[in-house]
Amino acid sequence: MSTAPKVSEREARQVAEDAREQDWHKPSFAKELFLGRFRLDLIHPHPTGTREDRQRGEEFLTKLQDFLATKVDSAEIERDARIPDGVIDGLKQLGALGMKIDTKYGGLGLTQVYYNKALAMAGTASAAIGALLSAHQSIGVPQPLKMFGTQEQKDVFLPRCARTDISAFLLTEPDVGSDPARLATAAVPDGDDYLLDGVKLWTTNGVVADLLVVMARVPKSEGHKGGITAFVVEADSPGITVENRNAFMGLRGIENGVTRFHQVRVPAANRIGPEGSGLKIALTTLNTGRLSLPAACAGAAKWCLKIAREWSAAREQWGRAIADHEAVGAKISFIAATTFALEAVVDLASEMADEDRNDIRIEAALAKLYGSEMSWRIADELVQIRGGRGFETAASLAARGERAVPAEQMLRDLRINRIFEGSTEIMHLLIAREAVDAHLSVAGDLIDPDKSLGDKAKAGARAGGFYARWLPKLVAGAGQLPNSYSEFGHLAGHLRYVERTSRRLARSTFYAMSRWQGKMETKQGFLGRVVDIGAELFAMSAVCVRAEKLGGSGDDGQAARQLADAFCQQSRLRVEELFGRLWNNTDDLDHQVVKAVLAGRYEWLEDGIIDPSGDGPWIADATPGPSGKDNLHRPIR
């Protein structure tokens, strides 16, 4: 039985809209890119941290690398589906729990750049370790407190998170995923406390966590604004039960569970921010927190490149190394060029986060979207290059005397990244909303059916002025001048392409808004392709800027330029295909087929199969109340 509140589509959209950061106080390279304005000055010269930051970061990476190489057995974690307590204790002693926490609270105070480098390294040793550290610091207690907590909350909780306490983030519920308007967990005021009741699903770190960030709905009442609100909750509080530890196709070592709250008393002092600000806190936290995921993806891609290089040189077929065969060589080129791009994107976005000169909400989202999709493709290509050995487990390979290469495990571990922290489909919608923000700001009332004629008239005047200034600038630009960006050498042509194509993308978006107006938000296929084009343009920009930064590094600089050129050539082919599919696609026919499928018109197509699925409801009962299960919570001390 669902306990989630019933909300209309419009109400659900409004909740999500209210949780957005409404204003843009800083420039945004990606936002400008979607508007047809290629602001290279916002990312070039490539931002670079201070020497002190680099020294501190490199010293920690050296210690972490030694620990991971000598103390972590990834095969053991995969086999036992658990990170050994001794490994977690070692990470605590190393200070890995406090990488992003300020030194005054006992943390390491690493920059976003070095935090991401550490996560990438940890993730290649064990994806489960990378996920544990990321969930703890990127979306767990430290990041929301750093951004929204009181000084007292920081003094109390951050020292614990830096050295001893593992944290988790609890938002999703059995019947509530990407639609937070239906959040059912309640936090009812009771004197100076709140009483929490509800069930949370997929609580990464939840099984072993000491501290929780919990999103719950406060009912509106006298003296209480109400709304979705964030709380720091002690994981061993009376009334909290970890009812299940979930198991997945990949990330077998993560401690992910189902957590039930029954009359859990939480002091009002543990509320983060005012009532009703929970979703805004969650989304703002994710703006930078999302960068940890593409960092892990870049690390995974680098490992795939290493294995592809070593295997393809050693394996012979028809008298030649398989790398010399064009069919395999194309895959290796894709892996190498795209790996360079994934690292370029995450490094640029991370340096921008540290610099804090730009608003990077779109850049971080693009990095997450692009990293998760492309690293999955890279891992898939590695499995193909390895052939039957790619499908075989590392344990099986070792048992018959071959190198234990966990290619199939990498594929399984990476798959969740297309769902974690906003699925690809949700990221498309989120980025698309931000990309058209300027249009909605000036013309949104024109397409809003609830606005009065007077409001529409005012919006029309605003829109007229905006488009009179904006549209002429989409006709011509630096990308049409043969000498533009000449300091980039032979990569200059790719930047001219990005400039021209950003204007083309902006024109396409404007045409679509004019054509569909209020129905634009339902054209998710179109919006997804617009975002994917923007992601490719952002990646091309990042690789060119990074290659220019590395240009003075001898042979590595020359190699970087070659990789950048290869990536841009490959990316341009994908961009042109996406543009073709903006207007030539099967979206309308697909919609008709979907309606027919759901109406049962194709059930005959399902004849002749056996469904091995078990019985039970599609969505588990999340009715509030006491737990009838054993508590699986096991803090690591």
Side-chain angles (χ1 to χ4, degrees):
M1 182 179 72
S2 174
T3 58
K6 299 295 184 182
V7 295
S8 67
E9 180 181 358
R10 185 171 183 81
E11 289 171 330
R13 288 201 308 269
Q14 190 59 49
V15 168
E17 181 66 18
D18 291 343
R20 285 182 59 250
E21 287 187 74
Q22 302 291 328
D23 301 317
W24 296 82
H25 300 294
K26 299 175 183 177
S28 166
F29 173 80
K31 180 187 177 187
E32 293 292 300
L33 197 66
F34 280 108
L35 284 170
R37 300 191 285 244
F38 181 46
R39 291 286 307 277
L40 184 62
D41 60 296
L42 294 178
I43 61 172
H44 175 68
H46 196 293
T48 303
T50 66
R51 186 178 67 177
E52 293 76 15
D53 287 338
R54 291 195 296 273
Q55 181 177 346
R56 184 166 63 250
E58 291 295 339
E59 288 175 354
F60 175 72
L61 287 182
T62 299
K63 296 176 183 177
L64 179 65
Q65 185 173 24
D66 178 69
F67 175 83
L68 294 171
T70 60
K71 303 298 183 184
V72 174
D73 184 344
S74 60
E76 177 187 11
I77 295 173
E78 176 71 5
R79 181 182 66 249
D80 297 344
R82 176 169 293 177
I83 303 171
D85 290 0
V87 171
I88 295 178
D89 287 337
L91 290 169
K92 291 180 179 181
Q93 294 169 17
L94 202 61
L97 294 189
M99 287 186 285
K100 285 194 72 179
I101 298 175
D102 197 285
T103 54
K104 66 183 177 182
Y105 300 113
L108 299 181
L110 298 186
T111 62
Q112 185 73 38
V113 169
Y114 277 95
Y115 170 66
N116 283 342
K117 287 180 181 293
L119 288 180
M121 183 186 294
T124 54
S126 166
I129 291 177
L132 180 145
L133 294 174
S134 175
H136 165 68
Q137 290 172 90
S138 297
I139 57 176
V141 171
Q143 190 67 17
L145 284 192
K146 177 182 176 181
M147 302 180 73
F148 299 99
T150 65
Q151 189 58 53
E152 182 180 5
Q153 290 171 336
K154 295 175 183 178
D155 291 339
V156 170
F157 296 115
L158 290 184
R160 293 170 56 183
C161 292
R163 290 290 175 181
T164 59
D165 289 17
I166 296 173
S167 67
F169 177 79
L170 282 65
L171 172 62
T172 305
E173 298 175 1
D175 198 25
V176 181
S178 299
D179 181 10
R182 302 175 64 247
L183 197 77
T185 298
V188 179
D190 184 54
D192 292 333
D193 301 331
Y194 291 84
L195 293 178
L196 264 62
D197 282 278
V199 179
K200 293 294 186 179
L201 176 63
W202 297 324
T203 60
T204 302
N205 292 353
V207 178
V208 297
D210 303 285
L211 290 171
L212 315 171
V213 175
V214 181
M215 297 293 165
R217 185 184 300 278
V218 177
K220 188 175 183 179
S221 62
E222 185 177 352
H224 291 275
K225 175 186 176 182
I228 298 173
T229 306
F231 299 90
V232 178
V233 181
E234 300 279 358
D236 60 358
S237 299
I240 297 181
T241 305
V242 177
E243 295 188 329
N244 295 88
R245 184 192 169 201
N246 304 319
F248 304 100
M249 67 179 283
L251 289 183
R252 287 174 49 79
I254 63 170
E255 302 280 357
N256 181 297
V258 176
T259 304
R260 178 178 292 270
F261 298 86
H262 176 60
Q263 295 288 286
V264 177
R265 190 166 291 276
V266 180
N270 284 23
R271 187 187 70 221
I272 308 175
E275 290 180 358
S277 63
L279 281 183
K280 186 177 290 289
I281 289 172
L283 292 179
T284 304
T285 297
L286 282 171
N287 282 340
T288 299
R290 280 196 178 97
L291 289 177
S292 63
L293 196 148
C297 292
K302 290 161 79 77
W303 179 84
C304 290
L305 175 60
K306 177 180 184 294
I307 299 301
R309 173 179 58 81
E310 293 175 350
W311 167 250
S312 299
R315 175 64 165 166
E316 291 189 1
Q317 291 281 275
W318 299 299
R320 290 190 294 169
I322 60 171
D324 291 335
H325 294 284
E326 193 171 274
V328 175
K331 298 180 187 301
I332 296 172
S333 176
F334 166 75
I335 291 173
T338 309
T339 296
F340 181 77
L342 294 188
E343 190 168 50
V345 165
V346 76
D347 277 359
L348 177 60
S350 299
E351 291 281 13
M352 293 169 74
D354 288 330
E355 189 181 45
D356 199 26
R357 183 168 60 94
N358 295 315
D359 186 322
I360 66 160
R361 73 183 85 163
I362 301 181
E363 287 83 349
L366 286 172
K368 188 275 175 189
L369 170 69
Y370 201 72
S372 60
E373 288 293 326
M374 299 306 275
S375 63
W376 163 258
R377 287 181 57 184
I378 286 172
D380 187 57
E381 293 288 27
L382 174 64
V383 168
Q384 191 70 17
I385 290 171
R386 289 274 291 161
R389 290 172 174 85
F391 194 66
E392 191 172 1
T393 68
S396 177
L397 289 165
R400 59 184 186 80
E402 291 195 0
R403 185 176 300 184
V405 178
E408 59 83 29
Q409 180 189 335
M410 179 62 76
L411 191 64
R412 289 187 287 106
D413 287 344
L414 282 172
R415 183 60 182 84
I416 187 59
N417 293 331
R418 299 173 65 202
I419 301 171
F420 258 172
E421 298 182 18
S423 68
T424 291
E425 293 72 26
I426 293 299
M427 296 307 297
H428 277 149
L429 299 182
L430 183 153
I431 297 168
R433 172 62 187 87
E434 299 294 354
V436 300
D437 184 57
H439 299 288
L440 295 180
S441 295
V442 299
D445 288 354
L446 281 172
I447 59 177
D448 189 335
D450 292 340
K451 294 297 181 180
S452 67
L453 290 177
D455 289 336
K456 290 180 181 292
K458 293 177 183 177
R462 288 196 306 271
F466 172 79
Y467 291 119
R469 296 187 301 272
W470 177 68
L471 285 171
K473 296 179 181 179
L474 300 183
V475 176
Q480 293 165 286
L481 302 177
N483 294 325
S484 295
Y485 317 116
S486 57
E487 67 271 28
F488 286 83
H490 71 274
L491 297 179
H494 297 310
L495 292 178
R496 290 194 291 271
Y497 176 84
V498 172
E499 194 279 336
R500 294 194 305 272
T501 308
S502 69
R503 288 186 282 110
R504 180 184 176 190
L505 182 61
R507 293 194 300 268
S508 298
T509 304
F510 175 73
Y511 172 73
M513 291 186 67
S514 302
R515 175 179 176 180
W516 291 313
Q517 299 184 31
K519 295 181 180 179
M520 179 78 161
E521 64 185 21
T522 68
K523 302 297 181 179
Q524 295 179 1
F526 177 90
L527 292 173
R529 295 176 197 112
V530 165
V531 170
D532 285 339
I533 292 170
E536 294 283 1
L537 298 182
F538 177 49
M540 291 174 66
S541 304
V543 300
C544 289
V545 170
R546 186 178 188 224
E548 176 65 17
K549 175 185 175 183
L550 297 175
S553 304
D555 292 340
D556 287 348
Q558 185 177 3
R561 287 179 174 273
Q562 185 177 45
L563 284 172
D565 184 33
F567 173 78
C568 289
Q569 296 282 8
Q570 295 169 12
S571 179
R572 288 168 72 157
L573 293 176
R574 292 191 292 266
V575 167
E576 292 305 315
E577 179 184 354
L578 286 165
F579 266 113
R581 290 173 55 211
L582 282 181
W583 311 111
N584 185 15
N585 53 65
T586 61
D587 291 350
D588 291 340
L589 177 59
D590 293 342
H591 182 64
Q592 296 173 25
V593 171
V594 169
K595 290 173 64 177
V597 167
L598 296 183
R601 287 174 51 195
Y602 304 148
E603 284 191 34
W604 51 267
L605 193 57
E606 301 163 14
D607 292 345
I609 63 168
I610 301 297
D611 183 359
S613 306
D615 294 329
W618 286 104
I619 299 171
D621 183 10
T623 304
S627 178
K629 297 186 177 182
D630 293 336
N631 189 4
L632 302 182
H633 183 228
R634 55 175 202 92
I636 299 170
R637 293 296 188 187

